[in-house]
């Protein structure tokens, strides 16, 4: 299925019935200010010129679209390409968004930024952009993720950021986001909230999508140059959904199959997963209406994934809409399948993917095997796996020294 024309969100920030602004009154003025400034920035060629300069000269864009010959040979079906977002500065697609938002914050006259992070990649990217442009930076991170992502915590502190460990709830991304929003409410006058995914209240889902769509735009130009045609299938992992929407958005009106891969954790029937679109219900979380994991009383259910970046009980509202209209297919991969894909990419290509990306690799390889050799699959490699080496070692029963 392709879309003839796609122009969402509407002026109120809705993707069909999803999105909106479900926030305290104190934040409405800040969101209105952000909407106005972003609207002006989008129309200003000097803003785009500055953003493009830093994406190219600082973040390392364009990233390669790499033909994965070893992985293709292993799958024995369609040709597999990897979009190498893991090769950006800081090692993940997150830098595209944080450079854009910090430039926007500077344009708004803000001196401080606050962010939340799960796997630490968004926190590192925010701390990096803040350091580059001389802004104070505070990052909230769940205590469980602080434990799982110790290396990224240290990287953020080396970059000058203050990392606040959150001990409430499941001590993961959801709770970090709660605290970041509370902090923003009380410091809104001089602080900009750098939201890390395509969730949150309007206009954040649009802002993050716009800063991430460079992934899909580059991919389209690169595959046309290398193969002379568009891919048959594109696969990306989905937690909040920023790397996936960045990849999918430029292809929504094309005849290309799009698949988002969520975290099935210990299995969809186990109740220990983060598959929001596969098992969630419509509700409100962190200022937006979308699919969320909740019980029969509407209380948020804790998510689980081996990947800290996918361990979130919500998803961006645009993904909810794309699921409902059938433009994007959403499926889920277990922790065990993601671990196997992590090892597979290491053995066949010499690449350690982030555990988030390993979910997409697992599904992409499985589908490529069922396709013809003249067909093409693109897998978005959203980040590199250095941060996950300790987690992988623990899961495999290996003890690493100091």
């Amino acid at each position: 299925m392709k879309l003839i024309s796609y122009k969402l969100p509407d002026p109120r920030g809705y993707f069909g019935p999803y999105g909106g602004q479900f926030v305290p009154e104190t934040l409405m003025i800040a969101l209105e200010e952000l909407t106005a400034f972003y609207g002006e920035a989008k129309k200003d060629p000097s803003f785009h010129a500055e953003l493009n300069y830093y994406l190219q000269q600082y973040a390392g864009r364009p990233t390669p679209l790499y033909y994965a010959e070893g992985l293709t040979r292993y799958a024995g079906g369609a040709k597999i390409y990897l979009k190498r977002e893991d090769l950006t500065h800081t090692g993940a697609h997150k830098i595209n968004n944080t450079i854009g938002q910090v430039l926007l914050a500077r344009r708004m006259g803000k001196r401080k930024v606050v962010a939340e992070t799960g796997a630490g990649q968004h926190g590192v990217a925010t701390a990096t952009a803040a350091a580059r442009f001389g802004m104070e930076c505070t990052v909230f991170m769940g205590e469980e993720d602080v434990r799982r992502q110790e290396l990224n915590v240290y990287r953020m502190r080396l970059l000058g950021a203050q990392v606040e460990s959150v001990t409430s709830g499941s001590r993961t991304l959801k709770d970090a986001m709660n605290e970041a929003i509370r902090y923003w409410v009380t410091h809104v006058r001089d602080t900009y909230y750098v939201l890390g995914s395509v969730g949150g209240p309007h206009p954040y889902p649009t802002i993050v999508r716009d800063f991430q769509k460079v992934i899909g735009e580059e991919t389209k130009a690169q595959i046309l140059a290398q193969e002379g045609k568009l891919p048959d299938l594109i696969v990306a992992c989905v937690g909040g959904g920023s790397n996936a929407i960045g990849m999918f958005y430029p292809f929504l009106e094309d005849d290309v199959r799009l698949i988002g891969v969520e975290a099935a954790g210990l299995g969809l029937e186990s109740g220990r997963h983060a598959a929001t679109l596969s098992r969630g219900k419509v509700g409100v979380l962190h200022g937006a209406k979308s699919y969320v994991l909740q019980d029969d009383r509407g209380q948020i259910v804790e998510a689980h994934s081996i990947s800290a970046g996918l361990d979130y009980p919500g998803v961006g509202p645009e993904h909810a809409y794309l699921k409902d209209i059938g433009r994007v297919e959403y499926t889920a991969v277990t922790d065990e399948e993601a671990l196997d894909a992590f090892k597979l990419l290491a053995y066949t290509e010499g690449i350690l993917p982030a555990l988030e990306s390993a979910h997409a690799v697992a599904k992409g390889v499985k589908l490529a095997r069922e396709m013809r050799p003249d067909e093409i699959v693109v897998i978005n490699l959203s980040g590199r796996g250095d941060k996950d080496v300790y987690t992988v070692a623990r899961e495999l029963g290996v003890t690493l020294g100091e």
Side-chain angles (χ1 to χ4, degrees):
M1 175 189 178
K2 66 176 182 178
L3 298 174
I4 303 301
S5 178
Y6 185 82
K7 299 186 185 302
L8 291 176
D10 68 19
R12 299 178 306 133
Y14 277 86
F15 303 86
Y18 306 110
Q21 295 174 316
F22 297 85
V23 297
E25 190 67 26
T26 48
L27 281 184
M28 286 305 296
I29 293 176
L31 291 174
E32 289 170 2
E33 179 191 29
L34 177 59
T35 302
F37 268 90
Y38 183 60
E40 289 300 316
K42 281 184 73 171
K43 294 183 289 188
D44 185 350
S46 69
F47 179 78
H48 293 284
E50 186 177 31
L51 175 61
N52 289 335
Y53 172 81
Y54 285 106
L55 288 179
Q56 292 171 13
Q57 302 300 324
Y58 186 70
R61 305 208 70 87
T63 57
L65 181 67
Y66 164 69
Y67 171 49
E69 187 176 358
L71 194 62
T72 298
R73 191 182 309 115
Y74 171 85
K79 295 178 74 172
I80 300 174
Y81 281 82
L82 303 175
K83 181 57 174 169
R84 299 292 308 275
E85 291 301 294
D86 57 313
L87 295 182
T88 57
H89 180 42
T90 74
H93 70 292
K94 296 292 188 182
I95 194 73
N96 307 324
N97 173 46
T98 58
I99 288 178
Q101 289 203 50
V102 168
L103 288 177
L104 188 58
R106 202 171 59 151
R107 192 181 180 97
M108 295 171 69
K110 306 294 185 182
R111 296 180 295 105
K112 304 175 183 177
V113 295
V114 62
E116 85 298 327
T117 194
Q121 292 299 82
H122 175 60
V124 170
T126 302
T128 298
R132 171 59 189 82
F133 295 104
M135 303 181 80
E136 291 184 32
C137 178
T138 302
V139 179
F140 287 89
M141 191 170 188
E143 186 180 50
E144 172 64 11
D145 291 335
V146 168
R147 181 189 66 79
R148 288 193 287 188
Q149 299 294 337
E150 186 179 4
L151 176 62
N152 275 340
V153 173
Y154 187 56
R155 290 172 72 193
M156 284 184 264
R157 288 176 173 150
L158 285 174
L159 291 161
Q162 182 172 340
V163 181
E164 299 286 349
S165 178
V166 177
T167 58
S168 58
S170 61
R171 297 166 290 131
T172 57
L173 179 57
K174 168 180 68 70
D175 312 291
M177 198 163 173
N178 288 340
E179 291 304 318
I181 291 173
R182 287 193 188 99
Y183 181 93
W184 189 37
V185 169
T186 55
H187 299 79
V188 70
R189 186 163 296 179
D190 65 353
T191 302
Y192 180 98
Y193 180 20
V194 184
L195 209 151
S197 196
V198 284
H202 174 68
Y204 278 109
T206 306
I207 289 175
V208 178
R209 179 193 73 189
D210 288 353
F211 288 142
Q212 293 292 2
K213 69 180 180 180
V214 65
I215 303 171
E217 290 171 342
E218 284 180 8
T219 300
K220 180 178 282 191
Q222 290 167 323
I223 199 68
L224 286 172
Q226 293 180 60
E227 292 283 352
K229 64 177 184 178
L230 295 179
D232 299 279
L233 169 67
I234 297 176
V235 186
C237 66
V238 177
S242 67
N243 91 89
I245 210 71
M247 172 59 93
F248 294 162
Y249 183 70
F251 291 93
L252 290 178
E253 297 179 8
D254 296 315
D255 190 15
V256 177
R257 187 182 178 192
L258 305 173
I259 295 186
V261 185
E262 299 187 297
L266 303 182
L268 292 179
E269 305 307 321
S270 71
R272 296 273 292 157
H273 59 75
T276 308
L277 288 162
S278 301
R279 286 292 189 272
K281 302 172 187 174
V282 177
V284 172
L285 179 64
H286 296 141
K289 184 178 180 184
S290 185
Y291 282 87
V292 297
L293 296 180
Q294 56 187 305
D295 62 21
D296 293 337
R297 295 175 297 172
Q299 298 299 306
I300 300 301
V301 173
E302 304 298 351
H304 164 79
S305 172
I306 189 174
S307 164
L310 302 183
D311 199 349
Y312 181 63
V315 67
E318 191 163 14
H319 284 292
Y321 175 72
L322 294 171
K323 166 191 162 66
D324 279 7
I325 65 170
R327 177 60 189 97
V328 180
E329 303 165 48
Y330 294 91
T331 184
V333 159
T334 65
D335 289 350
E336 185 177 0
E337 291 171 307
L339 263 177
D340 288 343
F342 183 97
K343 292 185 288 184
L344 175 63
L345 198 61
Y347 294 151
T348 57
E349 294 292 345
I351 297 171
L352 297 180
L355 280 171
E356 291 87 340
S357 313
H359 287 71
V361 173
K363 191 64 183 180
V365 170
K366 183 176 181 181
L367 292 173
R369 188 174 292 135
E370 301 166 358
M371 297 166 65
R372 300 189 311 270
D374 63 334
E375 294 183 301
I376 298 169
V377 175
V378 173
I379 300 171
N380 194 31
L381 212 60
S382 57
R384 70 187 187 210
D386 310 38
K387 66 185 179 57
D388 294 318
V389 167
Y390 280 91
T391 298
V392 170
R394 277 195 300 271
E395 293 293 327
L396 298 179
V398 176
T399 301
L400 300 179
E402 293 294 328

